[in-house]
Amino acid sequence: TSSSSSVCNDSNEKAALIDRLIDSNMIRFMLLISRQGKTRLAKWYVPFTQKEKNRILREIVAMVLARPRKLCNFLEWRDFKIVYKRYASLYFITCTDNADNELITLEIIHHFVEILDKYFGNVCELDLIFNFHQAYYILDEILISGELQETSKKSVLRVCGAQDSIVEDEEFSGKNKRQPSIRDYF
Amino acid sequence: MAANANMSKDFFELVKSIGESKSKQEEDKIIAREMHVLKVKMAAKVVHSRKMKEYLIRMIYVEMLGHDAAFGYIHAIKMTHSGTLAERRVGYMCCGLCLHQDHELMLLLVGGLQTDLQSDNHLEAATALIVVSKLTSRDTIPAILPLIIKLLDHPQANVRKKAVMAIQRFYRLDPSCVESIVEKIKRILCDKNPSVMGASLYLIGDMIGTDASVFKDLVPSFVSILKQITEHRLPRDYDYHRLPAPWIQIKLLQILHQLGNADKNASEGMYEVLHEVMRRADIGISIGYATIYECVRTVTSIYPNSTLLEEAAKCTSRFITSENHNLKYIGINALASIVQVDPRYAAEHQLIVIECLEDSDETLRRKTLDLLFRMTNPQNVTVIVGKLHAFLKSSVDVYLRTELVSKIIQLAERYAPDNAWYIQTMNEVFEVGGDLVRPEVVHNVLRMIAEGAAEEDSDEDNIGQYAVDTYVELLDKPVLPDVMLRVISWVLGEFGHKSKAWTPWDISQRLFGVIERPHEETSDVRSWAITAVMKLSHLHNHIGEVCSVVERYRTSVSSDLQQRTHEFLELVKDIRTMKAVLPADSFTEELDIDSNLGFLDEYVATASDHGAKLYEEQGFDDADMLLVAEKPIAVTPYPKWDQTRVAMTDELEVPTETYSARMHHKNPAAASSSSSEFSAGNLASVDGPWGRKQPAAASNDFHQPKSTSDPSLHSQNQVSAPYQIPESPQPQRNRVDSAASVDSVDDSPVMKKRPTKREQMLSGMFA
């Protein structure tokens, strides 16, 4: 987990509090894994090396895939909690703090899925396989630093739509100059 | 999607082939090939930015699958300075995914970010803000913070919202960054756009976490916002499954939770709205339950209100009795919070809780254990600890076991009904989870036993006696964890005399067994055992045998053990002293330590009368300080060794022959004499381990190196080592000091000492 050296002007107590704050109450990472264990999306909100990421992936994927259907969607892993949900052939896996409200995290996942559904129109795994970069853009509009930034589906879709329009425009017209003013797509 | 039409065929091929690959090796091969292609293509002199966009996306794909594509990072960064927004967006996304805040390349982004943050195009600013939240480190905050603060007033809600989230991230890295904008943050709470208001709650939540007082006056505002939300006053956009803005509600609940904690006034303002929220969230869907759960958590942590608690308990009952496993889990959690406030509620659901303990779902079982832990009281502690113990025995997960061990120990210390049970439990814990026990715990245990033993005056139910008896029997087991052995040794040593069933000699013999068990060198168990034996030694008549056992460890590798054995063997010579030093049953007595060693004053006086010198403090005296002041640490490099230095000592001659020439001793006598003089001048005063040998027949001796372990050297080493001991080393001694500079060692090619094996080998090579 990210650790920053304590702020120099603070007392030890505050420093300890800050260390606790750094990774408190947030989603550490969000993974989308297929039924066979293939990664479809991996967004990490805490810095890990590639090796650590792989190791974590292996551990968690093994745990989640092995879990029978009827059990609850929460798992304890190390000092954290894993909240996962399966949608068709995809597992959405998040890692949160132990003290967090797990049901809420489950709903965040659902929120994300609903938005993906609206965006792609009846989303399926194939959409995400070939459009993973789009999924990343969308996720960036929903979660920032592991916290939920936007609870309104419409707003998210509006912003994503605006970005896409610009991309389309630029592709189509082949413009390469920096636009000082841009038409407002709203 | 339209954007996808821009990807080339290669991309589709790549994804397809990965999807169809049958094995990890195949996948790895494909990825390796792709990485190679990307590396070449990205490094090409001219890459059209559209192509680069795709390469970057393929690079992310490769990284996502777990491989390291660091070669592409710099291109991603270059992309962020590119012309079009679309390209910059790709560049930023790649950076966000691949870099992290302490990455060295991160600094290259700062300039670009600053420009984009000030852009007129709100989409650019928004994209930059996303990256800022991910990648800013403590050091880069000052460069970016002012721009972000300005963006808090941006006309676009999207930008304001992201700016607030960015500040939250900064706050976590460096809390001082919000000092100047606290008022501004409070006003964001009233932002007309609910998303922005919602985003500010995260930052405010964090700030309250550090210091609640700043926002205490805002409790009415939070309450009012919550009220408005529940009354559906927000735009329909924010409804989620018919529940208005549930996440914002929950965040507000969490904030109220912190503000109302132990604060009666603040809490009283919240009761009504909490009631409302709980009522309205009860619509039978998952998000509703989530909200209710959060309410329960809030209710149980603020100043208690019985109506609310009743309601909370009712909701919890519904959760626990539900069929849905998630709800059961939540229910157990909620119950755990409730019983902290009011233990009565636990009784109602005992049966269900016991059921959950045996549920097939491991997560549920673990959570129930947690609940049990919180529900413990002196009446049910034995049962609960028993259950925890059963889990400990059957589980393999290290984290779980550590948790259980610490929980059992806590409960045992807090609620132990009687001493015997306490010792039993601790024994069991040590046996099963000894390696997970923290060292402090051992001391706590020992202290409790000792205090227990000191308190009692009757011989019945004597904890000391009980402990000793139990432990002696335990020693029959062949393998015990170190933690246990330490405890056992100490107890037997201190209280062995109390036992009625075993004599001190019996106990000592058992302790010998402990000493003789195989221990790691670094383990201190033997030391503990030997000390115990020492304590018992004056209680029986077999001191001789004790001594012989202890003797064996006089030369042990562990200096701690050595010290103890030496001390013991000294003490043995005077039984009286030993009894005074190791008295029985006085663990709890205070030791008076005279740190001035006053009792030695007489000894010192007598000695100094007889002419002994008094002790002088070896501190930094003035002479030393002056030296340090005069000659500070040299920051200029020493001058290189050159001819001019010879002037210092005329007798030294700078060798002009090369190393190989020297080795090719055509004229051994001449060479050696010149070298000898030089080398003598340098090192004659050095009395190294190779010592000062007799000069006679030196050259002959050195032809054959003494060490014969490497026969190959002999054949090659036809030439002798050049070092010759001088005839008369003494007169040259004084001149050495100034000349013996460091430089000569590395610059001159002369062999200056008796050759080491390595040098012999080298010389052999040059021969």
Side-chain angles (χ1 to χ4, degrees):
Chain A
T1 56
S2 78
S3 67
S4 76
S5 48
S6 40
V7 184
C8 29
N9 295 336
D10 280 1
S11 66
N12 278 345
E13 206 183 279
K14 231 182 174 202
L17 206 58
I18 288 160
D19 278 340
R20 197 175 57 80
L21 261 190
I22 285 288
D23 293 332
S24 68
N25 285 6
M26 71 180 203
I27 296 184
R28 296 321 192 258
F29 48 81
M30 162 86 85
L31 308 168
L32 264 64
I33 312 283
S34 79
R35 280 256 299 275
Q36 288 80 31
K38 298 211 175 152
T39 315
R40 299 296 175 211
L41 192 137
K43 182 84 184 183
W44 306 81
Y45 292 102
V46 172
F48 289 118
T49 65
Q50 193 67 275
K51 241 174 94 176
E52 286 169 339
K53 287 184 192 173
N54 289 345
R55 196 160 51 97
I56 293 176
L57 258 170
R58 269 202 311 268
E59 267 181 54
I60 294 188
V61 167
M63 277 186 357
V64 170
L65 290 181
R67 219 160 140 74
R69 259 172 167 262
K70 291 228 316 201
L71 303 185
C72 66
N73 295 78
F74 319 120
L75 271 175
E76 303 206 12
W77 174 73
R78 299 200 188 168
D79 287 336
F80 307 116
K81 216 161 267 178
I82 302 282
V83 179
Y84 72 95
K85 191 125 189 252
R86 185 172 145 212
Y87 290 89
S89 55
L90 263 184
Y91 283 89
F92 283 69
I93 304 177
T94 60
C95 170
T96 65
D97 211 43
N98 249 328
D100 271 352
N101 184 336
E102 300 92 347
L103 271 189
I104 271 296
T105 318
L106 214 50
E107 293 306 314
I108 294 181
I109 296 180
H110 194 71
H111 185 54
F112 181 34
V113 172
E114 279 188 353
I115 294 181
L116 284 175
D117 195 39
K118 248 324 192 0
Y119 183 82
F120 287 106
N122 247 339
V123 68
C124 63
E125 192 181 343
L126 216 55
D127 288 323
L128 293 177
I129 295 177
F130 285 102
N131 295 305
F132 58 90
H133 50 295
Q134 299 286 12
Y136 276 120
Y137 289 140
I138 296 176
L139 188 56
D140 276 339
E141 294 297 325
I142 302 179
L143 289 176
I144 270 193
S145 324
E147 303 276 11
L148 189 62
Q149 67 168 293
E150 183 58 74
T151 61
S152 149
K153 224 159 47 186
K154 262 203 197 141
S155 307
V156 174
L157 291 169
R158 244 193 345 233
V159 175
C160 289
Q163 298 268 23
D164 286 342
S165 308
I166 295 192
V167 170
E168 265 181 62
D169 260 13
E170 285 176 356
E171 290 292 332
F172 187 64
S173 55
K175 282 198 167 57
N176 250 336
K177 286 286 181 280
R178 208 182 178 103
Q179 302 277 354
S181 67
I182 241 179
R183 288 169 284 162
D184 195 9
Y185 284 86
F186 277 28
Chain B
M1 268 325 291
N4 218 13
N6 305 326
M7 305 300 273
S8 74
K9 192 158 162 300
D10 290 339
F11 173 69
F12 288 110
E13 282 302 321
L14 169 66
V15 178
K16 216 170 66 142
S17 57
I18 295 280
E20 288 168 356
S21 66
K22 296 280 185 308
S23 70
K24 189 91 183 26
Q25 288 97 321
E26 218 186 304
E27 194 181 296
D28 286 344
K29 257 200 319 192
I30 300 176
I31 298 276
R33 203 174 44 211
E34 174 68 21
M35 288 216 285
H36 181 76
V37 165
L38 283 176
K39 227 189 266 199
V40 167
K41 289 207 170 156
M42 280 194 190
K45 284 237 198 77
V46 177
V47 184
H48 194 263
S49 52
R50 190 184 300 186
K51 283 271 167 209
M52 184 56 96
K53 247 195 335 182
E54 180 179 317
Y55 298 152
L56 286 176
I57 294 187
R58 277 150 72 176
M59 180 189 88
I60 307 177
Y61 188 68
V62 160
E63 283 244 329
M64 185 172 82
L65 292 181
H67 303 257
D68 194 10
F71 57 84
Y73 296 172
I74 188 69
H75 298 283
I77 295 180
K78 279 208 283 211
M79 196 79 173
T80 66
H81 300 295
S82 141
T84 64
L85 175 58
E87 287 158 12
R88 263 178 285 136
R89 193 180 179 215
V90 173
Y92 277 134
M93 178 183 73
C94 288
C95 292
L97 283 173
C98 306
L99 299 179
H100 57 82
Q101 66 194 40
D102 296 318
H103 202 278
E104 60 237 355
L105 293 177
M106 172 42 207
L107 296 171
L108 297 173
L109 278 177
V110 176
L113 283 173
Q114 285 173 325
T115 328
D116 280 328
L117 285 174
Q118 298 176 67
S119 153
D120 289 331
N121 180 354
H122 65 269
L123 290 174
E124 278 180 12
T127 317
L129 280 168
I130 296 177
V131 178
V132 157
S133 295
K134 174 89 198 292
L135 291 182
T136 317
S137 65
R138 286 237 342 263
D139 304 320
T140 42
I141 287 182
I144 307 214
L145 184 61
L147 298 171
I148 307 272
I149 295 182
K150 276 217 298 232
L151 288 175
L152 287 176
D153 297 319
H154 196 280
Q156 281 288 338
N158 187 22
V159 175
R160 290 202 302 275
K161 172 186 73 180
K162 293 194 161 67
V164 172
M165 301 292 296
I167 296 195
Q168 186 219 8
R169 172 96 186 140
F170 292 176
Y171 179 74
R172 286 198 174 146
L173 291 171
D174 177 8
S176 61
C177 66
V178 300
E179 276 163 14
S180 50
I181 47 174
V182 177
E183 283 310 312
K184 206 166 186 169
I185 294 176
K186 287 189 185 177
R187 268 181 281 126
I188 298 181
L189 207 51
C190 315
D191 194 295
K192 44 187 171 41
N193 186 306
S195 301
V196 182
M197 182 268 293
S200 70
L201 292 176
Y202 291 100
L203 174 56
I204 294 181
D206 276 352
M207 288 169 71
I208 292 181
T210 18
D211 181 11
S213 55
V214 183
F215 290 92
K216 275 277 166 81
D217 52 333
L218 286 182
V219 170
S221 321
F222 292 128
V223 168
S224 130
I225 298 178
L226 195 48
K227 200 152 173 295
Q228 289 175 46
I229 295 180
T230 53
E231 288 166 1
H232 293 271
R233 304 253 221 105
L234 285 185
R236 297 290 293 278
D237 283 355
Y238 294 92
D239 281 3
Y240 179 82
H241 299 182
R242 289 170 3 229
L243 202 62
W247 287 284
I248 303 185
Q249 284 191 47
I250 288 178
K251 197 65 202 172
L252 282 165
L253 286 171
Q254 286 173 354
I255 289 182
L256 290 178
H257 169 136
Q258 284 175 312
L259 287 176
N261 195 356
D263 183 334
K264 188 158 193 281
N265 285 334
S267 306
E268 281 176 353
M270 302 176 198
Y271 294 151
E272 196 198 315
V273 76
L274 286 174
H275 186 87
E276 272 303 302
V277 170
M278 260 207 283
R279 191 175 64 86
R280 287 177 188 256
D282 201 350
I283 47 180
I285 51 170
S286 180
I287 188 75
Y289 296 138
T291 319
I292 297 181
Y293 172 55
E294 197 62 48
C295 270
V296 171
R297 289 218 309 203
T298 310
V299 161
T300 51
S301 75
I302 60 175
Y303 201 80
N305 170 300
S306 46
T307 353
L308 278 179
L309 278 174
E310 282 289 333
E311 277 187 48
K314 257 193 269 172
C315 292
T316 315
S317 305
R318 280 174 42 208
F319 286 156
I320 290 196
T321 48
S322 138
E323 281 301 318
N324 182 328
H325 277 246
N326 287 346
L327 288 182
K328 268 216 178 89
Y329 184 89
I330 296 289
I332 300 272
N333 260 344
L335 194 56
S337 329
I338 290 189
V339 297
Q340 308 264 35
V341 179
D342 191 338
R344 286 174 297 148
Y345 292 109
E348 275 181 60
H349 302 289
Q350 274 192 85
L351 282 174
I352 300 194
V353 170
I354 305 287
E355 256 183 55
C356 287
L357 205 52
E358 261 111 59
D359 198 284
S360 49
D361 187 347
E362 201 211 319
T363 323
L364 206 52
R365 289 203 300 268
R366 279 170 74 158
K367 245 322 164 332
T368 321
L369 279 182
D370 198 49
L371 171 61
L372 287 181
F373 172 68
R374 286 176 216 275
M375 272 172 45
T376 316
N377 54 47
Q379 282 76 43
N380 57 20
V381 65
T382 33
V383 175
I384 291 188
V385 169
K387 288 253 186 263
L388 289 177
H389 197 74
F391 253 89
L392 182 61
K393 270 198 259 197
S394 61
S395 132
V396 270
D397 176 21
V398 174
Y399 287 91
L400 178 57
R401 295 184 71 213
T402 325
E403 227 186 284
L404 285 174
V405 162
S406 90
K407 283 196 167 113
I408 295 180
I409 293 179
Q410 273 184 54
L411 290 180
E413 284 176 3
R414 242 188 281 165
Y415 298 113
D418 60 65
N419 295 323
W421 180 87
Y422 175 72
I423 294 190
Q424 272 294 75
T425 317
M426 294 313 260
N427 286 354
E428 282 166 8
V429 168
F430 288 156
E431 264 189 81
V432 179
D435 46 330
L436 298 168
V437 174
R438 287 189 338 268
E440 306 90 70
V441 172
V442 171
H443 293 285
N444 283 347
V445 171
L446 298 179
R447 202 163 33 89
M448 291 200 70
I449 296 183
E451 283 169 3
E455 283 169 22
E456 288 145 12
D457 7 82
S458 77
D459 283 332
E460 327 287 340
D461 192 30
N462 187 322
I463 185 176
Q465 183 181 1
Y466 178 79
V468 169
D469 290 340
T470 335
Y471 286 146
V472 172
E473 275 161 34
L474 263 183
L475 277 180
D476 285 334
K477 289 204 190 170
V479 181
L480 287 172
D482 278 358
V483 149
M484 275 229 81
L485 287 174
R486 288 193 200 112
V487 171
I488 293 180
S489 311
W490 189 87
V491 169
L492 291 181
E494 280 290 316
F495 302 110
H497 61 277
K498 286 210 175 175
S499 165
K500 297 224 158 52
W502 308 93
T503 68
W505 176 232
D506 286 331
I507 300 183
S508 301
Q509 282 179 309
R510 297 295 173 108
L511 285 170
F512 290 156
V514 171
I515 298 177
E516 268 142 38
R517 284 187 204 205
H519 294 292
E520 283 171 41
E521 284 302 331
T522 47
S523 140
D524 55 357
V525 175
R526 225 175 242 151
S527 310
W528 287 63
I530 285 208
T531 312
V533 166
M534 287 191 237
K535 289 182 194 164
L536 290 173
S537 58
H538 59 94
L539 295 171
H540 56 75
N541 301 329
H542 303 260
I543 289 211
E545 298 188 37
V546 173
C547 284
S548 60
V549 170
V550 170
E551 260 304 319
R552 265 186 272 150
Y553 297 100
R554 193 127 75 109
T555 47
S556 150
V557 174
S558 151
S559 54
D560 176 79
L561 199 52
Q562 269 195 36
Q563 181 172 350
R564 290 179 199 241
T565 51
H566 274 103
E567 283 173 0
F568 177 67
L569 292 167
E570 276 301 315
L571 284 175
V572 158
K573 298 178 187 159
D574 182 354
I575 290 288
R576 220 170 17 114
T577 322
M578 184 147 72
K579 284 207 175 151
V581 169
L582 300 171
D585 210 11
S586 62
F587 173 71
T588 45
E589 282 173 19
E590 289 282 330
L591 260 184
D592 256 338
I593 301 185
D594 179 1
S595 47
N596 291 327
L597 301 178
F599 54 89
L600 286 177
D601 282 343
E602 202 190 303
Y603 179 82
V604 169
T606 334
S608 63
D609 282 344
H610 289 291
K613 247 177 32 162
L614 283 178
Y615 177 71
E616 273 171 19
E617 276 272 342
Q618 293 261 355
F620 273 122
D621 59 343
D622 293 337
D624 286 340
M625 294 311 280
L626 274 182
L627 195 65
V628 170
E630 260 181 60
K631 275 202 175 180
I633 297 182
V635 288
T636 54
Y638 292 115
K640 253 192 122 56
W641 169 275
D642 59 21
Q643 309 281 31
T644 58
R645 297 205 62 173
V646 182
M648 280 199 315
T649 49
D650 293 343
E651 291 78 10
L652 291 175
E653 65 171 27
V654 180
T656 47
E657 298 151 68
T658 63
Y659 185 80
S660 40
R662 187 151 289 286
M663 286 303 104
H664 283 280
H665 270 303
K666 293 297 183 283
N667 194 350
S672 50
S673 64
S674 57
S675 75
S676 82
E677 225 174 339
F678 175 83
S679 30
N682 244 344
L683 287 178
S685 68
V686 175
D687 214 339
W690 40 90
R692 197 169 290 283
K693 304 260 187 340
Q694 293 313 309
S699 35
N700 288 340
D701 282 354
F702 280 104
H703 276 286
Q704 268 81 47
K706 294 272 190 278
S707 56
T708 50
S709 50
D710 198 349
S712 63
L713 283 175
H714 284 274
S715 50
Q716 288 188 358
N717 198 4
Q718 300 303 325
V719 180
S720 75
Y723 180 82
Q724 304 293 330
I725 303 285
E727 301 285 296
S728 51
Q730 293 295 27
Q732 293 162 337
R733 193 182 219 176
N734 301 334
R735 287 172 295 149
V736 164
D737 309 292
S738 44
S741 63
V742 179
D743 310 331
S744 57
V745 173
D746 37 28
D747 276 2
S748 76
V750 172
M751 291 269 269
K752 291 177 289 299
K753 54 188 191 304
R754 176 154 73 87
T756 60
K757 249 207 281 180
R758 183 163 183 276
E759 285 161 349
Q760 284 165 1
M761 245 172 33
L762 284 176
S763 66
M765 279 174 8
F766 279 90

